[in-house]
Amino acid sequence: MKIRVSLLAAFIALASPLAQADILSEVPADSKTQLTAGEVVVTSEDIKGAPWPKLVLYQVVDAPPQVLINLLTDYDAAPAYTPGLISAKILATNADGSKDIEYTVKAPLLQKISYSVHNTYVKKGDNFTVNWDLIHSPLAKTSTGSIRVEPYGKNQSLMCYTNFVVPITNLVAGMKGDALKSAKETVAAIKQEAERRAKN
């Protein structure tokens, strides 16, 4: 009996750090000062065989999590604050609560393109995640990502934006610098709009 209790206690001790893992723990130690100062922290991970890396951006937002949750699910408002976004249309709301969304964005040379994604949502207390998987795009083979939100400080949130895209052609693959710029602009736009809403 004592052995079983000891093993259970050891398991709980090992599992607790994993269960309590948060976004802040993922931020590189040498970047936490940058994060605290309000700057965006960018990390990337090279994926074998993929022309673009997986991008991960961290940003402190001066707004409580619920403001961000409301913002990230307000598709009608998205074109008003997201650079290059023309429209965001809900194609389907599924039985499990997930949604299929069609985005139309401005694009160089093509003027505009539309792509669709499947969004799923997870909410645990003040922690919120929206995950997406590409359904169709004229420029990408696959695209997966997420935005995660958790409390940070008083009336603040910590946001983590992740995106991994496999472009459809090598020509598009040469635009990975534009992909990083777009990710930064998206994170900055979400931060700005959430903070504006938090003040109203």
Side-chain angles (χ1 to χ4, degrees), residues 16-43:
S16 292
L18 296 175
Q20 295 174 358
D22 54 17
I23 298 173
L24 186 59
S25 67
E26 302 170 12
V27 180
D30 59 355
S31 298
K32 287 184 178 176
T33 301
Q34 180 184 348
L35 186 73
T36 304
E39 299 175 33
V40 64
V41 171
V42 180
T43 65

mmCIF file of all heavy atoms in Angstrom, residues 16-43:
data_model
loop_
_atom_site.group_PDB
_atom_site.id
_atom_site.type_symbol
_atom_site.label_atom_id
_atom_site.label_comp_id
_atom_site.label_asym_id
_atom_site.label_seq_id
_atom_site.Cartn_x
_atom_site.Cartn_y
_atom_site.Cartn_z
ATOM 1 N N SER A 16 2.705 17.474 -12.322
ATOM 2 C CA SER A 16 2.255 18.830 -11.987
ATOM 3 C C SER A 16 2.877 19.905 -12.850
ATOM 4 O O SER A 16 2.178 20.775 -13.354
ATOM 5 C CB SER A 16 2.499 19.110 -10.505
ATOM 6 O OG SER A 16 1.658 18.299 -9.726
ATOM 7 N N PRO A 17 4.208 19.909 -13.063
ATOM 8 C CA PRO A 17 4.790 20.953 -13.913
ATOM 9 C C PRO A 17 4.205 20.939 -15.315
ATOM 10 O O PRO A 17 4.020 21.973 -15.942
ATOM 11 C CB PRO A 17 6.280 20.604 -13.926
ATOM 12 C CG PRO A 17 6.501 19.816 -12.676
ATOM 13 C CD PRO A 17 5.223 19.045 -12.484
ATOM 14 N N LEU A 18 3.896 19.723 -15.829
ATOM 15 C CA LEU A 18 3.323 19.645 -17.162
ATOM 16 C C LEU A 18 1.916 20.202 -17.169
ATOM 17 O O LEU A 18 1.516 20.932 -18.073
ATOM 18 C CB LEU A 18 3.314 18.182 -17.638
ATOM 19 C CG LEU A 18 4.691 17.538 -17.823
ATOM 20 C CD1 LEU A 18 4.515 16.069 -18.182
ATOM 21 C CD2 LEU A 18 5.494 18.252 -18.892
ATOM 22 N N ALA A 19 1.157 19.875 -16.131
ATOM 23 C CA ALA A 19 -0.226 20.335 -16.063
ATOM 24 C C ALA A 19 -0.300 21.848 -15.908
ATOM 25 O O ALA A 19 -1.248 22.478 -16.337
ATOM 26 C CB ALA A 19 -0.942 19.652 -14.904
ATOM 27 N N GLN A 20 0.723 22.434 -15.270
ATOM 28 C CA GLN A 20 0.716 23.858 -14.993
ATOM 29 C C GLN A 20 1.480 24.662 -16.038
ATOM 30 O O GLN A 20 1.661 25.856 -15.893
ATOM 31 C CB GLN A 20 1.318 24.117 -13.601
ATOM 32 C CG GLN A 20 0.490 23.525 -12.474
ATOM 33 C CD GLN A 20 1.169 23.653 -11.121
ATOM 34 O OE1 GLN A 20 2.275 24.152 -11.010
ATOM 35 N NE2 GLN A 20 0.498 23.178 -10.085
ATOM 36 N N ALA A 21 1.943 23.973 -17.076
ATOM 37 C CA ALA A 21 2.706 24.673 -18.109
ATOM 38 C C ALA A 21 1.866 25.794 -18.706
ATOM 39 O O ALA A 21 0.674 25.649 -18.921
ATOM 40 C CB ALA A 21 3.122 23.689 -19.202
ATOM 41 N N ASP A 22 2.502 26.941 -18.943
ATOM 42 C CA ASP A 22 1.783 28.082 -19.485
ATOM 43 C C ASP A 22 2.585 28.702 -20.624
ATOM 44 O O ASP A 22 3.702 28.279 -20.922
ATOM 45 C CB ASP A 22 1.490 29.105 -18.388
ATOM 46 C CG ASP A 22 2.750 29.524 -17.632
ATOM 47 O OD1 ASP A 22 3.862 29.279 -18.145
ATOM 48 O OD2 ASP A 22 2.625 30.097 -16.551
ATOM 49 N N ILE A 23 1.980 29.687 -21.262
ATOM 50 C CA ILE A 23 2.637 30.320 -22.395
ATOM 51 C C ILE A 23 3.949 30.983 -21.973
ATOM 52 O O ILE A 23 4.960 30.889 -22.670
ATOM 53 C CB ILE A 23 1.700 31.355 -23.046
ATOM 54 C CG1 ILE A 23 0.442 30.666 -23.593
ATOM 55 C CG2 ILE A 23 2.410 32.103 -24.171
ATOM 56 C CD1 ILE A 23 -0.624 31.627 -24.095
ATOM 57 N N LEU A 24 3.933 31.651 -20.824
ATOM 58 C CA LEU A 24 5.131 32.370 -20.372
ATOM 59 C C LEU A 24 6.332 31.441 -20.252
ATOM 60 O O LEU A 24 7.464 31.842 -20.531
ATOM 61 C CB LEU A 24 4.848 33.064 -19.036
ATOM 62 C CG LEU A 24 5.951 33.977 -18.503
ATOM 63 C CD1 LEU A 24 6.255 35.099 -19.491
ATOM 64 C CD2 LEU A 24 5.561 34.556 -17.148
ATOM 65 N N SER A 25 6.095 30.196 -19.842
ATOM 66 C CA SER A 25 7.203 29.253 -19.668
ATOM 67 C C SER A 25 7.866 28.898 -21.000
ATOM 68 O O SER A 25 8.990 28.398 -21.025
ATOM 69 C CB SER A 25 6.713 27.980 -18.968
ATOM 70 O OG SER A 25 5.826 27.255 -19.801
ATOM 71 N N GLU A 26 7.175 29.142 -22.115
ATOM 72 C CA GLU A 26 7.725 28.838 -23.434
ATOM 73 C C GLU A 26 8.628 29.951 -23.964
ATOM 74 O O GLU A 26 9.436 29.719 -24.863
ATOM 75 C CB GLU A 26 6.587 28.637 -24.441
ATOM 76 C CG GLU A 26 5.607 27.547 -24.065
ATOM 77 C CD GLU A 26 4.382 27.574 -24.962
ATOM 78 O OE1 GLU A 26 4.417 28.287 -25.990
ATOM 79 O OE2 GLU A 26 3.396 26.903 -24.638
ATOM 80 N N VAL A 27 8.461 31.153 -23.428
ATOM 81 C CA VAL A 27 9.233 32.302 -23.927
ATOM 82 C C VAL A 27 10.694 32.130 -23.541
ATOM 83 O O VAL A 27 10.998 31.875 -22.366
ATOM 84 C CB VAL A 27 8.681 33.623 -23.355
ATOM 85 C CG1 VAL A 27 9.495 34.811 -23.871
ATOM 86 C CG2 VAL A 27 7.208 33.786 -23.707
ATOM 87 N N PRO A 28 11.629 32.258 -24.495
ATOM 88 C CA PRO A 28 13.050 32.133 -24.156
ATOM 89 C C PRO A 28 13.439 33.089 -23.032
ATOM 90 O O PRO A 28 12.987 34.243 -23.004
ATOM 91 C CB PRO A 28 13.758 32.508 -25.466
ATOM 92 C CG PRO A 28 12.749 32.211 -26.534
ATOM 93 C CD PRO A 28 11.415 32.506 -25.926
ATOM 94 N N ALA A 29 14.248 32.605 -22.104
ATOM 95 C CA ALA A 29 14.624 33.389 -20.922
ATOM 96 C C ALA A 29 15.222 34.743 -21.289
ATOM 97 O O ALA A 29 14.940 35.756 -20.641
ATOM 98 C CB ALA A 29 15.605 32.587 -20.058
ATOM 99 N N ASP A 30 16.038 34.782 -22.358
ATOM 100 C CA ASP A 30 16.689 36.037 -22.741
ATOM 101 C C ASP A 30 15.755 37.002 -23.465
ATOM 102 O O ASP A 30 16.146 38.099 -23.843
ATOM 103 C CB ASP A 30 17.932 35.766 -23.588
ATOM 104 C CG ASP A 30 17.625 34.999 -24.875
ATOM 105 O OD1 ASP A 30 16.448 34.602 -25.060
ATOM 106 O OD2 ASP A 30 18.539 34.799 -25.683
ATOM 107 N N SER A 31 14.485 36.574 -23.664
ATOM 108 C CA SER A 31 13.518 37.439 -24.350
ATOM 109 C C SER A 31 12.419 37.954 -23.428
ATOM 110 O O SER A 31 11.569 38.736 -23.859
ATOM 111 C CB SER A 31 12.865 36.676 -25.512
ATOM 112 O OG SER A 31 13.825 36.295 -26.466
ATOM 113 N N LYS A 32 12.436 37.529 -22.165
ATOM 114 C CA LYS A 32 11.338 37.898 -21.265
ATOM 115 C C LYS A 32 11.354 39.390 -20.922
ATOM 116 O O LYS A 32 10.308 39.987 -20.707
ATOM 117 C CB LYS A 32 11.376 37.036 -20.008
ATOM 118 C CG LYS A 32 10.922 35.617 -20.305
ATOM 119 C CD LYS A 32 10.834 34.725 -19.092
ATOM 120 C CE LYS A 32 10.312 33.347 -19.504
ATOM 121 N NZ LYS A 32 10.278 32.388 -18.395
ATOM 122 N N THR A 33 12.534 40.007 -20.891
ATOM 123 C CA THR A 33 12.612 41.451 -20.668
ATOM 124 C C THR A 33 11.973 42.196 -21.834
ATOM 125 O O THR A 33 11.238 43.162 -21.653
ATOM 126 C CB THR A 33 14.082 41.898 -20.507
ATOM 127 O OG1 THR A 33 14.657 41.203 -19.405
ATOM 128 C CG2 THR A 33 14.174 43.394 -20.253
ATOM 129 N N GLN A 34 12.241 41.721 -23.031
ATOM 130 C CA GLN A 34 11.653 42.286 -24.249
ATOM 131 C C GLN A 34 10.131 42.165 -24.198
ATOM 132 O O GLN A 34 9.403 43.112 -24.532
ATOM 133 C CB GLN A 34 12.208 41.517 -25.456
ATOM 134 C CG GLN A 34 11.696 41.966 -26.806
ATOM 135 C CD GLN A 34 12.230 41.080 -27.936
ATOM 136 O OE1 GLN A 34 13.136 40.274 -27.752
ATOM 137 N NE2 GLN A 34 11.640 41.223 -29.109
ATOM 138 N N LEU A 35 9.646 41.015 -23.741
ATOM 139 C CA LEU A 35 8.204 40.779 -23.639
ATOM 140 C C LEU A 35 7.583 41.733 -22.628
ATOM 141 O O LEU A 35 6.563 42.369 -22.896
ATOM 142 C CB LEU A 35 7.953 39.332 -23.224
ATOM 143 C CG LEU A 35 6.498 38.866 -23.207
ATOM 144 C CD1 LEU A 35 5.980 38.700 -24.623
ATOM 145 C CD2 LEU A 35 6.375 37.551 -22.445
ATOM 146 N N THR A 36 8.208 41.861 -21.463
ATOM 147 C CA THR A 36 7.708 42.732 -20.394
ATOM 148 C C THR A 36 7.668 44.186 -20.838
ATOM 149 O O THR A 36 6.806 44.957 -20.412
ATOM 150 C CB THR A 36 8.584 42.597 -19.137
ATOM 151 O OG1 THR A 36 8.620 41.219 -18.747
ATOM 152 C CG2 THR A 36 8.035 43.408 -17.980
ATOM 153 N N ALA A 37 8.602 44.561 -21.726
ATOM 154 C CA ALA A 37 8.661 45.933 -22.228
ATOM 155 C C ALA A 37 7.588 46.216 -23.279
ATOM 156 O O ALA A 37 7.506 47.330 -23.792
ATOM 157 C CB ALA A 37 10.044 46.214 -22.808
ATOM 158 N N GLY A 38 6.785 45.207 -23.595
ATOM 159 C CA GLY A 38 5.698 45.406 -24.556
ATOM 160 C C GLY A 38 6.049 45.085 -25.985
ATOM 161 O O GLY A 38 5.248 45.312 -26.894
ATOM 162 N N GLU A 39 7.262 44.557 -26.214
ATOM 163 C CA GLU A 39 7.682 44.219 -27.569
ATOM 164 C C GLU A 39 7.217 42.812 -27.929
ATOM 165 O O GLU A 39 7.007 41.967 -27.055
ATOM 166 C CB GLU A 39 9.209 44.307 -27.683
ATOM 167 C CG GLU A 39 9.764 45.697 -27.395
ATOM 168 C CD GLU A 39 11.287 45.708 -27.408
ATOM 169 O OE1 GLU A 39 11.876 44.946 -28.189
ATOM 170 O OE2 GLU A 39 11.871 46.461 -26.613
ATOM 171 N N VAL A 40 7.091 42.567 -29.220
ATOM 172 C CA VAL A 40 6.742 41.227 -29.672
ATOM 173 C C VAL A 40 8.008 40.365 -29.678
ATOM 174 O O VAL A 40 9.087 40.827 -30.049
ATOM 175 C CB VAL A 40 6.093 41.255 -31.079
ATOM 176 C CG1 VAL A 40 7.047 41.770 -32.139
ATOM 177 C CG2 VAL A 40 5.572 39.876 -31.457
ATOM 178 N N VAL A 41 7.870 39.140 -29.200
ATOM 179 C CA VAL A 41 8.981 38.185 -29.211
ATOM 180 C C VAL A 41 8.701 37.169 -30.313
ATOM 181 O O VAL A 41 7.635 36.558 -30.344
ATOM 182 C CB VAL A 41 9.122 37.468 -27.851
ATOM 183 C CG1 VAL A 41 10.142 36.330 -27.943
ATOM 184 C CG2 VAL A 41 9.524 38.459 -26.770
ATOM 185 N N VAL A 42 9.652 37.014 -31.229
ATOM 186 C CA VAL A 42 9.487 36.112 -32.364
ATOM 187 C C VAL A 42 10.475 34.963 -32.258
ATOM 188 O O VAL A 42 11.673 35.182 -32.060
ATOM 189 C CB VAL A 42 9.713 36.846 -33.698
ATOM 190 C CG1 VAL A 42 9.522 35.882 -34.874
ATOM 191 C CG2 VAL A 42 8.780 38.043 -33.829
ATOM 192 N N THR A 43 9.964 33.742 -32.364
ATOM 193 C CA THR A 43 10.835 32.571 -32.470
ATOM 194 C C THR A 43 10.409 31.795 -33.709
ATOM 195 O O THR A 43 9.297 31.963 -34.212
ATOM 196 C CB THR A 43 10.741 31.659 -31.231
ATOM 197 O OG1 THR A 43 9.421 31.098 -31.143
ATOM 198 C CG2 THR A 43 11.037 32.435 -29.954
#
